[in-house]
Each structure stands twice: as C-alpha cells, then as structure tokens.
Amino acid sequence: MRTGLNRRSFLTTAATVAGAAAMAPLLSACGGGSTKKAGANTKEGLKAALPAFVPNPNAVKPDIAPVQGGDGAVTDPAYLSYPAAPPTSVSGVPGKGGSYTAVTPMWGTAPQAGNSFYQAMNKALGVELAMKPADGINYGTIIPTMTAARKLPDWINLPSWMNDQFNTGGLTGTQLADLTPYLSGDNIKKYPNLASIPTGAWQHGVWADKLYGIPCFSTGFGIPGATFYRRDILEARGITADQVKSAADLMNLGKELTDAKRGVWAFDDVWTYLQFTWNVPMRWRIDNGKLVHPFETQEFLEAVDWHYRLATSGYMHPDALAGDVSNGSTRFYSGKTLIGGGGLGAWNLADHQSGTAADPNYRRGAFNAITADGTGTPVIYTGAAASMISYLNADLKPAQVEELLAVANYLAAPYGTAEYTLVNFGVEGVHHTRMNGVPTLTEEGQKNVQATTYPFLAAAPSVLSNPGGEQITKDYASWSAANVQYLRKPPFWGMNLSMPPAIATASAATGVNDTLKDCYHGKKKVSELQDAIASWRSGPGERLKQWMTDNVLNKYGSGQ
C-alpha cells in the first residue's frame, strides 16, 4: 500500500490499475515507431548501470518493521500514526530557477493550472514546473501522439505496463535521456533520497545496459493482488482464513456462503490472482533449459477447469459472470459477494471508509497463499518492484538534467518527512489541517493536492500507513508478514526488452484470452479453450517461443 496514494477516493478505481500493472508482462513488448531497438540488459551492463543503494538516515522509524522473505522479498514498513514533528531530509531549495513541463496520467479531475498547491511546490522546489496531468484512461493514445511528433514534455511518467503502447525501448536514447552518468553506482549518492530506493526498482528503468527511468512507489513486496474476503461476515460465522488450505476448501466455502434467495453469492471474479494457486507460471517457465508458456501447462488447464466449475456452480454473482467489473466493489461492500480477487492497492483507508458506509462492521481480509490440493509449499510470483516510471527528455542539457534530478530527490523524500508532507498534503492551514494528529485535506487540498501529479514523477519507497485507520495497517502488515516467505521471482523478472510488433501481438494472444474469460465465466467449455490454445500454439505461440529463445534466453539468460 502506498501512502500518498491510499488517501484518495479515486484509488478504489486505481487499485484495479495497480493490480493490472503488476500482472502485466514482465518483459515489456515494444515495437514500431523507431528504427532503434533497445535490447535486454547483459548481466555485467546491468550491474554497471544500477545505482548504489544507501539506506536513508532521515527515514522515520516504522511502528512495524519490514519482514524478510523469499528470493529477496521484504514487506513494506508500517506506520500507525503520522509524525507530529516531520524531520527534514533536504537541505535548502533543490532547483535553480529553471522552467519545465511535466505530464503524468490522472484518473479523475485535473487541478487547475497555477493553483495554490502548484505555486507552493514551485517555491519549495525552486523551479517553475508546469504540471499537465493527462487523462489516464486515454493515456495509451495520448503519449504515442506526442512521441510521433517528437513533442514530449521535459518530464513524463510512462507506466511500465504500457511500454508496448509507448515503444519505451525505442524512445530510450532518442527521446528519453540517459541518466547513467548521473545516477549509476556511487553517482547517486549526490541524491540521498533517490539512493534509498531499492536496487530492484531501478532495474525496471534500465534499457540496453543504460539507466533511463526513475521509479516511483518502489516495493520489495511486489505481489500483484490477492483473494479478498469479508472478514467481518466470515468470522461472525466462525470461518477464519487459516481454515482455507486448498481449492476444495474454497469451493466448499462457496456452497456454505451462497444464498441466492437473499441475493448473496460467495464469489465475485477470482481468476486473475487465484490461478497461481495451481502454480500456473507467470508468463514463462523453464523446464530442462526449454521455455514453457502457461498455456502449455497442465496446471493452467486444471486452474481453468476449477474456475469453470465455480462459474457453473451457482456460487458466483450473476453480474460477475456477465463481466461487470465496475460494480465489483459495490457488491463487496454491500455483502452481495463475500470473496473476490483484486489488486493490493484496494486495501486502504478509503476502502474501509467506503465499506463501513455500507456496513458499519465492514472489515477486509485476504486469504493466505495456498496450493490447489492443500499440500506442499505455495508460490507467489513477484510482480514489478516499481510500475510507475518517469523519464526526462533527451533534449535537456546536462545542467537541466541535474536540476530535475535534485527536484526528484526532493519528491522522493521518505514517509513522514517535511518534504513528503508538502508533496502529499500541501501547506498546513491551506491544503491540510491536523485532525487527531493526522494530516487531513481541506476543501482546497482535495481539489488541488492530487496523488497522481508530483508523486508520479518521483516518490519514496512504499510504506503501509492509514492514519486514522490503524487496524487496516495492522491487518495488511500481518498478512504481508505471513505471505512474504512464498515470494519467488519468475523467469525474466525485471528485464526490459523491445519485441517486434508481430511478436508482441503473438504474446498478447488476444483470441486465447478472450476465450479464457468466457471459460472462467462459464460461457465456454474448457475443450473450446484447448482448441483456441492449439490454434495459437501452432502459429503465433511457436513464433513467440522461438523468438524469446533466440533473442532473450540464449543471449541474456533468464535473469535468475
């Protein structure tokens, strides 16, 4: 959970975006728009490009310390209250009076240009930074129009899950600035707040052995999502999460909880994150040195078969079966559905407030990782360490790059510091006031202090914090600590790559995925999905596998 993002009502929707981001291809499929092809990173080149990691001495001590887990994973630190006297992490004003433009995606209403918050930020940053948020829903078409005309702003956020639409790899070195000379190795020590961003997050901004991107909201606990449940309702019936140990337990729970006559169904959609219970690979598996796609595995078919049986069991809400995603939260809050999959960004104070408005007893919980048969050790595949990445324009002069990196260092100030407070809550008395010690946005702050502006250019590593909702933080932290041990990085984790358009299309496998959705909604049988997979494998799938083998696995390895 990302403080600064979790206090906005728009994030009930953005939680879906966050989950989708983490589930996006870990190999960015980019092509077209440029004759330049960015290759994957060599092991030696990546090591040379990455910044050194230096723990931040100005970080506020958390109430719940991070817990180390599997394969380098670590939970986010948790805070139960906001510091009464925020410490300072930046000395002086970072900018030198430069004028720049910045574009970030925004899901919601954009603040007016030149508002009081933007003015306060420009004064603190020492630059004239014109924020120009763009419609997040249409961001995938807005940015290519800019790049085609070579009219990128000075600073731009390019979410990694949209790299294929942006041709990010082709833009590196042509329209996006190479930051390697400024940030690689010990060079980053000039910017202490940036230096405290974990190394794995920087990896998502490295293309062809050079560093281009600045990560926002980095985390060592990159779990894409979870299977949530109404903890208050289930526990009132004597059902606890630790009683669910297998897929059969879940199906039995569906039977017990569903009461269609009362308008209550146990399940909403759960496929996206629950499929890994069967150990379905995330993108690829390597068996005896050979690439195996999820569609080729028995585990995938077993997972689909279970979900088809769930869809036809009568335990899933009819609107979910019809593909109605937009009202899933409403169904969950009202108790019409009691179990549903979702991105972890949903587990926050705004969610709790929406839930308790519908039911005063509302409490969100998440099932622990399980295996399909209830035996063995579960596996949770690690998603991206950072999905929101910002880039600087290649036309900037070195002095301008350094000025904006100093600004980025300010924006990346740790949770609870004076700089963080300004970036996320604005000026006290104008944009926020303290209510029971918690920075609370005023009416002016609600209009202008948007979490998708400055924090989408640079931000501190993620923390768990819901000031005023301590139980939420405790619940999430407890669940994280229990599950971090199961995290494993999948093959090609964090490797950026430009695919030719035809290969990117093959990877998307639109026809198969459309049939898959119909299958786990009970509209098509598993045999029909198998037919779609067979057709895909004989053509696009085979070309995809061969291309990945020749251009990635054989040249760069699996990244593990």
Side-chain angles (χ1 to χ4, degrees):
M1 187 174 302
R2 299 158 172 80
T3 292
L5 282 177
N6 64 13
R7 54 188 170 74
R8 298 292 193 273
S9 60
F10 95 93
L11 278 173
T12 300
T13 299
T16 303
V17 176
M23 284 294 294
L26 296 171
L27 273 166
S28 302
C30 307
S34 172
T35 57
K36 179 180 182 294
K37 297 295 181 183
N41 302 304
T42 64
K43 185 176 181 180
E44 298 76 13
L46 177 64
K47 183 178 180 180
L50 287 172
F53 172 73
V54 183
N56 200 314
N58 298 306
V60 178
K61 184 179 179 180
D63 296 296
I64 303 175
V67 176
Q68 295 288 332
D71 210 7
V74 60
T75 64
D76 294 331
Y79 297 82
L80 301 179
S81 60
Y82 202 82
T88 299
S89 70
V90 175
S91 177
V93 178
K96 298 181 180 179
S99 295
Y100 305 97
T101 56
V103 171
T104 60
M106 172 165 286
W107 294 271
T109 303
Q112 287 188 336
N115 65 68
S116 60
F117 174 59
Y118 286 178
Q119 293 176 29
M121 285 298 300
N122 283 341
K123 180 179 179 180
L125 296 175
V127 296
E128 289 295 321
L129 184 58
M131 299 298 300
K132 298 182 177 181
D135 178 18
I137 295 175
N138 296 308
Y139 208 62
T141 56
I142 292 172
I143 302 307
T145 301
M146 292 182 178
T147 59
R150 298 189 67 90
K151 291 185 177 180
L152 284 178
D154 299 307
W155 203 346
I156 189 166
N157 181 286
L158 301 179
S160 63
W161 70 89
M162 301 177 81
N163 280 338
D164 56 335
Q165 294 168 271
F166 300 150
N167 182 30
T168 307
L171 298 174
T172 57
T174 57
Q175 297 191 48
L176 304 177
D178 178 9
L179 303 181
T180 315
Y182 307 93
L183 299 177
S184 64
D186 288 343
N187 293 319
I188 200 170
K189 292 181 178 179
K190 182 178 179 181
Y191 311 103
N193 290 334
L194 294 179
S196 67
I197 295 175
T199 304
W202 288 103
Q203 185 170 336
H204 298 288
V206 179
W207 298 80
D209 295 343
K210 292 184 178 181
L211 176 63
Y212 293 91
I214 301 170
C216 309
F217 310 111
S218 55
T219 179
F221 190 69
I223 296 182
T227 302
F228 293 112
Y229 68 98
R230 280 291 299 270
R231 180 169 177 172
D232 55 313
I233 294 177
L234 268 65
E235 289 190 348
R237 299 180 62 164
I239 302 168
T240 58
D242 58 3
Q243 294 171 334
V244 177
K245 301 181 183 299
S246 68
D249 290 342
L250 278 173
M251 191 69 79
N252 291 334
L253 198 56
K255 181 178 181 180
E256 180 176 349
L257 296 175
T258 298
D259 188 345
K261 292 182 179 179
R262 292 180 49 246
V264 176
W265 285 264
F267 289 95
D268 212 291
D269 257 326
V270 290
W271 164 262
T272 304
Y273 307 109
L274 190 59
Q275 60 177 296
F276 301 112
T277 292
W278 284 261
N279 199 20
V280 175
M282 181 183 275
R283 305 300 299 174
W284 296 100
R285 173 185 294 164
I286 299 176
D287 288 343
N288 298 318
K290 303 291 185 180
L291 286 178
V292 178
H293 193 275
F295 294 165
E296 301 176 287
T297 65
Q298 182 64 27
E299 292 91 339
F300 176 78
L301 292 176
E302 290 175 356
V304 174
D305 177 69
W306 186 91
H307 281 79
Y308 174 80
R309 288 187 286 113
L310 174 65
T312 56
S313 67
Y315 307 152
M316 185 178 289
H317 196 286
D319 290 348
L321 293 175
D324 178 5
V325 177
S326 60
N327 293 306
S329 293
T330 300
R331 294 191 290 268
F332 193 67
Y333 294 148
S334 63
K336 300 300 182 183
T337 59
L338 306 178
I339 301 171
L344 290 180
W347 207 346
N348 59 37
L349 183 60
D351 167 79
H352 180 73
Q353 292 168 338
S354 297
T356 52
D359 184 339
N361 297 315
Y362 175 84
R363 187 176 180 185
R364 180 181 289 268
F367 291 114
N368 291 328
I370 59 174
T371 59
D373 63 3
T375 65
T377 303
V379 173
I380 302 174
Y381 291 110
T382 308
S387 296
M388 302 302 291
I389 312 291
S390 74
Y391 296 84
L392 300 183
N393 195 307
D395 292 336
L396 293 171
K397 297 176 182 179
Q400 293 176 309
V401 171
E402 291 182 337
E403 184 174 29
L404 287 181
L405 289 177
V407 170
N409 182 66
Y410 186 106
L411 299 179
Y415 171 84
T417 59
E419 298 81 11
Y420 180 98
T421 304
L422 177 63
V423 171
N424 288 276
F425 299 101
V427 178
E428 185 168 5
V430 179
H431 305 108
H432 78 270
T433 58
R434 291 271 186 158
M435 295 182 63
N436 298 319
V438 179
T440 304
L441 294 176
T442 62
E443 183 177 347
E444 185 171 352
Q446 291 174 8
K447 289 191 301 183
N448 298 326
V449 186
Q450 293 290 342
T452 59
T453 52
Y454 297 97
F456 273 16
L457 298 176
S462 297
V463 303
L464 303 183
S465 180
N466 299 278
E470 291 77 14
Q471 188 60 53
I472 306 162
T473 301
K474 291 178 180 178
D475 287 347
Y476 191 159
S478 177
W479 179 84
S480 300
N483 287 274
V484 69
Q485 60 184 309
Y486 304 125
L487 265 67
R488 296 292 182 272
K489 291 178 181 176
F492 311 121
W493 184 88
M495 291 176 66
N496 286 325
L497 186 77
S498 291
M499 287 181 176
I503 299 301
T505 300
S507 180
T510 303
V512 176
N513 283 308
D514 286 346
T515 306
L516 169 62
K517 184 179 292 186
D518 284 341
C519 194
Y520 65 70
H521 284 158
K523 299 175 183 178
K524 291 186 177 180
K525 297 180 179 180
V526 177
S527 60
E528 294 177 87
L529 176 62
Q530 288 177 294
D531 290 341
I533 290 174
S535 178
W536 175 82
R537 285 182 64 185
S538 64
E542 186 59 35
R543 290 193 295 273
L544 169 65
K545 185 188 290 188
Q546 191 63 53
W547 190 90
M548 285 290 300
T549 299
D550 294 341
N551 295 280
V552 185
L553 183 62
N554 290 346
K555 287 185 178 180
Y556 303 103
S558 67
Q560 295 180 318

